[in-house]
Amino acid sequence: MIQEKKLYLRRRVIYFVGFIFFLMLLFHHFWYGPHQLLGDNQVTTKEYFNQYLLPYICYFPYALINFIVIGVPLSGLSIHVVIEDCNQLSIRIRKYKNYLTQITNKIKQTSNILNVTTQNEIIEQLKQIYWDFSGKIKRPLNLLLGILILIYFDATFSRSTLSNSAYLWTQLFCIFGFMTPTIVLILWGLLAYQKNLEDTIGVLLNFNFVFNEIGNQYSTFNLLKKILMTNILFLTVCIICFLHTIYIIFKF
């Protein structure tokens, strides 16, 4: 991403976002955070520095590394990957639609009957599309599930060690920096795959091909189920939700 000349604008956006976050960190650690911690307490300048400002100054390098050095580049990389994956899937979709159009025109110009060889060829192409979308959706889904686990950890075990503003900014950063682009790719991928499946079924239907088995085997629901059921992070999230529900029930 750094070496590609065509990605000049994306790099500039990442630099700009990183600079804005850096200014926000300065504002938070050197003014807002200490004053929020101070509240209505009346203290001397020395006490304010030692008890309220100094802890935030000591915490600033960690926040700088966590958000600017690591967070912003990873967030930019996740958005970059989403854009590139969407582009690749779009190209794959266009090629597949052109293929279906060519097959349809070819059959209409000849016998107007869908022979077994052409049927198997269409099914094989659909199967390849199925695996392409499965691979592209699985990666952002792993990131999304990992961020959900991180947010749960921050909301429970780490909640007592973070101020309200730090907790809020951490959650917002995770949601907009990682979760939003991954959700966009997952939803767009599922909708695009569903449209491809409908186009394929439409072609098969025009030539009186029985497509029930094909529609069930390569349905969008089966695609999503296959991705989730073999995902360790998804199973981890399910276990966490189950244990948390049990904890809430016994707590009350």
Side-chain angles (χ1 to χ4, degrees), residues 171-220:
Q171 302 307 308
L172 290 177
F173 185 84
C174 289
I175 291 172
F176 291 101
F178 296 101
M179 291 183 64
T180 301
T182 57
I183 290 175
V184 168
L185 176 56
I186 292 170
L187 292 179
W188 182 87
L190 292 175
L191 291 174
Y193 177 79
Q194 177 63 29
K195 183 64 170 61
N196 265 349
L197 182 63
E198 291 174 356
D199 291 341
T200 305
I201 291 177
V203 171
L204 298 175
L205 182 62
N206 288 336
F207 299 102
N208 299 320
F209 179 75
V210 180
F211 56 84
N212 290 334
E213 183 178 349
I214 302 301
N216 293 331
Q217 184 177 358
Y218 298 105
S219 66
T220 306

Side-chain angles (χ1 to χ4, degrees), residues 80-233:
H80 165 73
V81 169
V82 165
I83 294 174
E84 291 301 310
D85 283 351
C86 286
N87 288 336
Q88 293 177 13
L89 287 177
S90 296
I91 295 172
R92 186 72 177 89
I93 290 171
R94 287 196 297 269
K95 290 182 178 179
Y96 184 69
K97 285 184 176 180
N98 292 335
Y99 164 76
L100 289 178
T101 302
Q102 292 173 1
I103 287 292
T104 303
N105 294 335
K106 180 180 177 181
I107 295 174
K108 287 182 177 179
Q109 291 173 1
T110 54
S111 59
N112 203 34
I113 298 175
L114 187 65
N115 56 50
V116 177
T117 303
T118 307
Q119 292 174 12
N120 293 335
E121 184 181 336
I122 293 176
I123 294 173
E124 194 63 31
Q125 288 289 334
L126 178 62
K127 183 179 180 180
Q128 187 60 47
I129 287 282
Y130 180 90
W131 286 109
D132 288 345
F133 273 83
S134 175
K136 293 297 183 184
I137 294 175
K138 187 178 297 184
R139 181 166 53 187
L141 183 64
N142 288 337
L143 178 59
L144 176 62
L145 294 172
I147 294 299
L148 287 176
I149 294 174
L150 177 63
I151 289 177
Y152 175 80
F153 178 81
D154 283 339
T156 53
F157 302 102
S158 299
R159 186 66 183 89
S160 59
T161 63
L162 293 173
S163 65
N164 292 331
S165 57
Y167 174 75
L168 176 63
W169 284 113
T170 301
Q171 302 307 308
L172 290 177
F173 185 84
C174 289
I175 291 172
F176 291 101
F178 296 101
M179 291 183 64
T180 301
T182 57
I183 290 175
V184 168
L185 176 56
I186 292 170
L187 292 179
W188 182 87
L190 292 175
L191 291 174
Y193 177 79
Q194 177 63 29
K195 183 64 170 61
N196 265 349
L197 182 63
E198 291 174 356
D199 291 341
T200 305
I201 291 177
V203 171
L204 298 175
L205 182 62
N206 288 336
F207 299 102
N208 299 320
F209 179 75
V210 180
F211 56 84
N212 290 334
E213 183 178 349
I214 302 301
N216 293 331
Q217 184 177 358
Y218 298 105
S219 66
T220 306
F221 176 76
N222 276 347
L223 173 65
L224 185 59
K225 184 175 71 172
K226 180 178 180 60
I227 295 173
L228 291 178
M229 291 298 102
T230 58
N231 194 299
I232 297 177
L233 289 177

